[in-house]
């Protein structure tokens, strides 16, 4: 029943609402760290999807040539 308490816990002094970083950056990473994290997730994903689509297209073209 923590979330039904009166007064609400998120308005109490010393809770997370009082301790936001100075930049109001809620994830706790700077610009460089955020971009490195996003690139390490999305660049390999993009490479894998591109490789899959390239293989699928080349197989379709080779079937058309043989058929």
């Amino acid at each position: 029943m923590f979330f039904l308490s009166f007064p609400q816990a998120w308005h109490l002094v010393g809770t997370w609402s009082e301790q936001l970083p100075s930049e109001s950056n809620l994830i706790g990473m700077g610009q460089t760290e955020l971009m490195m994290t996003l690139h390490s997730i999305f660049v390999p994903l993009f490479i894998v999807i591109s490789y899959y689509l390239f293989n699928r297209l080349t197989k379709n073209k080779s079937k058309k040539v043989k058929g």
Side-chain angles (χ1 to χ4, degrees):
M1 294 302 169
F2 178 73
F3 292 106
L4 299 176
S5 63
F6 184 82
Q8 280 76 24
W10 52 88
H11 292 294
L12 295 176
V13 176
T15 56
W16 64 270
S17 61
E18 296 284 329
Q19 300 171 359
L20 289 176
S22 60
E23 301 176 349
S24 296
N25 187 356
L26 297 177
I27 58 173
M29 285 193 264
Q31 181 86 18
T32 306
E33 291 89 359
L34 178 63
M35 292 309 291
M36 288 176 67
T37 303
L38 291 176
H39 279 85
S40 67
I41 293 170
F42 288 111
V43 169
L45 187 64
F46 176 74
I47 291 171
V48 168
I49 291 173
S50 299
Y51 179 75
Y52 170 75
L53 290 175
F54 178 74
N55 279 340
R56 199 176 87 184
L57 288 175
T58 55
K59 286 181 182 179
N60 284 344
K61 286 185 179 181
S62 65
K63 285 181 182 178
K64 288 181 182 178
V65 170
K66 290 180 182 178

